[in-house]
C-alpha cells in the first residue's frame, strides 16, 4: 500500500515538473514570436515604403529597404531584382514566401502540440492526486 502512495507522489511531482518545463518552453517561444512580429510591424518603415511607392521613387525605395532586414523589405528586394515580367515577379515572390514561411512559423507547431496535450497531463496529475487522497489507498 505504501508503495502505491509513493508511486503516486513521484508521478505527481514528475508531472508537475514536466508541466513547468513545458510552460517555460512555450513562454520562450511566445516571447520569440512576439519579438519577431514587433520587428516585422515597423510602422515608420511601412510609411516610408508606401510613400516611396506612391511617388514611384525607386532610389528612395531601395534606400528604405536597406534600413532593416525584415520580411517586407526583403520581398520588395525580390520584386526589384525580378522586374522583367509580371510572371517572373510572381514566381520569385512565391519562392521567397515559401522560404520565409518556415522561419516565420518556427515554434508554432510546438505551441499547438502543447496546447492540445497539456490539459491531459494536468488531468492525469489531478487523477493521481484524487487517488492519493482516497482513504482506501492511504490506509487512514
Amino acid at each position: 500500500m505504501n508503495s502505491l502512495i509513493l508511486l503516486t507522489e513521484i508521478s505527481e511531482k514528475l508531472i508537475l515538473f514536466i508541466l513547468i518545463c513545458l510552460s517555460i518552453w512555450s513562454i520562450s517561444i511566445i516571447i520569440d514570436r512576439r519579438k519577431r512580429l514587433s520587428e516585422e510591424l515597423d510602422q515608420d518603415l511601412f510609411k516610408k515604403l508606401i510613400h516611396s511607392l506612391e511617388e514611384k521613387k525607386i532610389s528612395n525605395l531601395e534606400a528604405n529597404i536597406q534600413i532593416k532586414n525584415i520580411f517586407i523589405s526583403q520581398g520588395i528586394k525580390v520584386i526589384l531584382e525580378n522586374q522583367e515580367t509580371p510572371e517572373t515577379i510572381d514566381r520569385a515572390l512565391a519562392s521567397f514566401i515559401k522560404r520565409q514561411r518556415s522561419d516565420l512559423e518556427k515554434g508554432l507547431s510546438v505551441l499547438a502540440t502543447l496546447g492540445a496535450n497539456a490539459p491531459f497531463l494536468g488531468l492525469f496529475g489531478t487523477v493521481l492526486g484524487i487517488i492519493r487522497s482516497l482513504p482506501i489507498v492511504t490506509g487512514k
Side-chain angles (χ1 to χ4, degrees):
M1 194 64 73
N2 286 336
S3 63
L4 183 60
I5 294 170
L6 182 62
L7 182 64
T8 56
E9 274 187 42
I10 292 171
S11 299
E12 287 171 6
K13 290 178 182 164
L14 180 65
I15 289 171
L16 183 61
F17 177 73
I18 290 171
L19 285 174
I20 289 171
C21 291
L22 292 176
S23 296
I24 291 169
W25 189 17
S26 62
I27 288 170
S28 69
I29 291 171
I30 291 168
I31 290 171
D32 179 56
R33 294 293 89 201
R34 174 71 178 160
K35 186 174 133 184
R36 175 71 192 262
L37 187 61
S38 66
E39 289 172 359
E40 294 292 336
L41 297 176
D42 185 0
Q43 295 297 323
D44 294 332
L45 180 62
F46 280 134
K47 288 177 185 175
K48 289 177 185 176
L49 292 174
I50 290 170
H51 184 69
S52 297
L53 285 171
E54 286 173 348
E55 294 185 1
K56 297 183 181 177
K57 294 183 179 176
I58 300 297
S59 61
N60 285 354
L61 186 62
E62 290 174 344
N64 285 328
I65 63 175
Q66 300 298 330
I67 295 172
K68 283 192 175 180
N69 195 22
I70 62 172
F71 184 76
I72 189 77
S73 64
Q74 291 174 352
I76 292 174
K77 283 180 194 176
V78 169
I79 292 171
L80 292 175
E81 291 169 357
N82 298 287
Q83 293 185 39
E84 297 90 34
T85 64
E87 291 82 20
T88 59
I89 292 173
D90 188 41
R91 280 191 300 244
L93 205 51
S95 173
F96 168 74
I97 289 171
K98 279 184 183 179
R99 288 190 310 262
Q100 294 296 317
R101 185 175 186 165
S102 64
D103 184 46
L104 292 173
E105 292 179 346
K106 185 175 75 175
L108 296 182
S109 60
V110 172
L111 285 179
T113 303
L114 291 178
N117 293 314
F120 298 114
L121 267 176
L123 183 61
F124 182 59
T126 303
V127 168
L128 289 176
I130 291 171
I131 288 172
R132 200 176 93 201
S133 68
L134 292 174
I136 297 168
V137 175
T138 58
K140 293 180 183 175

